[in-house]
Amino acid sequence: MSDSLVLDPVDLEILRLLQNDARMTYRDLAAAVGVAASTCLDRVARLRRGGVILGYELRVDPARLGRPLEALLSVQVRPHRKELIGPFVERVRALPQSRALFHLTGPDDYLVHVAVAGAAGLQRLVLEEFTARREVARVETRLIFQRWECGPVLPASAAESRSAVEGDGVVADG
Amino acid sequence: MSDSLVLDPVDLEILRLLQNDARMTYRDLAAAVGVAASTCLDRVARLRRGGVILGYELRVDPARLGRPLEALLSVQVRPHRKELIGPFVERVRALPQSRALFHLTGPDDYLVHVAVAGAAGLQRLVLEEFTARREVARVETRLIFQRWECGPVLPASAAESRSAVEGDGVVADG
DNA sequence: TGTGAAAATTTCAAATG
DNA sequence: CATTTGAAATTTTCACA
């Protein structure tokens, strides 16, 4: 858990490949990266100990499990006090429809990603589990038409972090 | 890819366990579920062929990769035509800061989940990659204070799908 | 679906540069 | 001192009962 964990090109390539397919064998990983399998094992163990790798997840299709409709619920929790938000968070996390929960800046404090069987199930969820609660002041429901995954998470480059108003021009695309 | 894939209790338990730890061995899985390892292998292969299991993901900590700040960008794409949104989607997906992209109902068409090095990097990203684009009419930025994972995705029960206004009472919590 | 054996992989201790 | 080698332990995988 040390905060300074130096990642060399081998680590980065391992992370890139494993984010593409987490079940790649150490043997294949080693061949792709150009080191021995045991070195891959060491590196992955170090990345795990260092907190870079948090775990291995199974990606499932909610639609195939009878949840073809996904939505994002923006929820405003009224008196935003610890005594209320603690139970609220735990209750939302325990809902079988919940996939993820975010605490955000802005007027809508929480965002809940849910997967449901259909519009009726969504209505029921919003009315019974959110609107009906005293601590919930407002719920805004938006359906997810489509979702795209993006590339692997890689270390931020120096250029990404530079301020937009200093350094080289802001919108100079010529 | 057949649409009707019957999932028995063994399948469900395998899905539940694998969503908890996708690297569980078939041997351990078999012991936990109470069937032979080869049966687990068969079931997982069937679930994969059936499209229930989409893949295996590595969960990494963006903060450990120099991206301690995450945000959600609500983006309104102005003339919402195919010729514009195709390139927009692909450009956003290719950004190293992007983690996920959603097409939503509502006034803000797209939601982009990003991970950046800090406020300066976020400002630069919003100004240069979104606001500066002709097709982007509006961007609203909300920071993610915290994120919680929820339980595994499991099949929707009949009760979940029932309409809220028919059947047994709506808010009868007595 | 289970059994058991073969193939492949993971994992580790000792050797290497 | 990280990396590789090579072999042992474990796991995956498959043919057949």
Side-chain angles (χ1 to χ4, degrees):
Chain A
M1 282 293 190
S2 115
D3 201 26
S4 61
L5 183 63
V6 180
L7 303 178
D8 71 9
V10 171
D11 294 310
L12 298 182
E13 188 65 1
I14 286 174
L15 283 172
R16 201 181 63 73
L17 289 165
L18 243 30
Q19 281 182 79
N20 195 257
D21 173 17
R23 261 178 61 108
M24 226 178 148
T25 67
Y26 290 117
R27 190 179 148 276
D28 291 348
L29 207 52
V33 175
V35 297
S38 58
T39 301
C40 278
L41 185 72
D42 267 357
R43 296 307 187 95
V44 170
R46 190 178 313 172
L47 290 168
R48 194 122 63 118
R49 282 196 311 273
V52 177
I53 293 177
L54 296 173
Y56 299 84
E57 267 184 358
L58 191 72
R59 218 153 53 80
V60 304
D61 183 357
R64 297 272 176 192
L65 292 171
R67 303 180 180 279
L69 186 62
E70 294 188 60
L72 295 177
L73 310 182
S74 294
V75 181
Q76 192 179 356
V77 176
R78 200 169 21 171
H80 202 179
R81 294 189 323 237
K82 270 193 179 173
E83 313 90 77
L84 284 177
I85 64 171
F88 170 80
V89 165
E90 287 316 313
R91 210 171 43 74
V92 170
R93 290 183 67 188
L95 293 172
Q97 295 94 345
S98 294
R99 298 201 62 192
L101 171 62
F102 299 88
H103 181 197
L104 305 177
T105 59
D108 294 318
D109 304 307
Y110 292 89
L111 189 77
V112 191
H113 179 181
V114 299
V116 295
L122 183 59
Q123 180 194 31
R124 185 189 178 92
L125 177 70
V126 171
L127 289 179
E128 296 189 9
E129 299 294 342
F130 291 91
T131 305
R133 295 283 158 174
R134 207 186 296 283
E135 73 270 25
V136 172
R138 209 176 73 92
V139 180
E140 193 180 307
T141 304
R142 280 169 296 166
L143 302 185
I144 297 174
F145 281 146
Q146 192 170 0
R147 175 191 183 148
W148 294 269
E149 293 304 321
C150 302
V153 179
L154 295 176
S157 68
E160 275 179 43
S161 311
R162 245 199 314 274
S163 165
V165 292
E166 55 189 55
D168 45 36
V170 179
V171 199
D173 56 357
Chain B
M1 282 295 187
S2 115
D3 201 26
S4 61
L5 184 62
V6 180
L7 302 177
D8 71 9
V10 170
D11 294 310
L12 299 182
E13 188 65 1
I14 287 174
L15 283 172
R16 201 181 63 74
L17 289 165
L18 244 30
Q19 282 182 79
N20 195 257
D21 172 16
R23 260 177 62 106
M24 227 179 149
T25 66
Y26 290 117
R27 192 179 146 277
D28 291 349
L29 208 52
V33 176
V35 296
S38 59
T39 302
C40 277
L41 185 73
D42 267 357
R43 297 306 188 95
V44 170
R46 190 179 314 173
L47 290 168
R48 194 122 63 118
R49 282 196 311 272
V52 178
I53 293 177
L54 296 173
Y56 300 84
E57 267 184 357
L58 191 72
R59 218 153 52 80
V60 304
D61 184 357
R64 296 274 176 190
L65 291 171
R67 303 180 180 278
L69 187 62
E70 294 188 60
L72 295 177
L73 310 181
S74 293
V75 181
Q76 192 179 357
V77 176
R78 205 175 8 178
H80 201 179
R81 294 189 322 238
K82 269 193 180 174
E83 313 91 78
L84 283 178
I85 65 171
F88 170 79
V89 165
E90 286 315 313
R91 210 169 45 71
V92 170
R93 289 184 68 188
L95 293 172
Q97 294 94 345
S98 293
R99 297 201 63 191
L101 171 62
F102 299 88
H103 181 198
L104 305 177
T105 59
D108 294 317
D109 304 307
Y110 293 90
L111 189 77
V112 192
H113 179 182
V114 299
V116 294
L122 183 59
Q123 181 193 32
R124 185 189 178 92
L125 177 69
V126 171
L127 289 179
E128 296 189 7
E129 298 294 344
F130 291 90
T131 304
R133 295 282 158 173
R134 204 186 299 281
E135 73 270 25
V136 173
R138 209 176 74 92
V139 180
E140 192 180 309
T141 304
R142 280 169 297 167
L143 301 185
I144 297 174
F145 280 145
Q146 193 171 358
R147 176 190 182 148
W148 293 268
E149 294 304 321
C150 303
V153 178
L154 294 177
S157 68
E160 277 179 42
S161 310
R162 246 198 314 274
S163 166
V165 291
E166 54 189 54
D168 45 36
V170 179
V171 199
D173 56 0

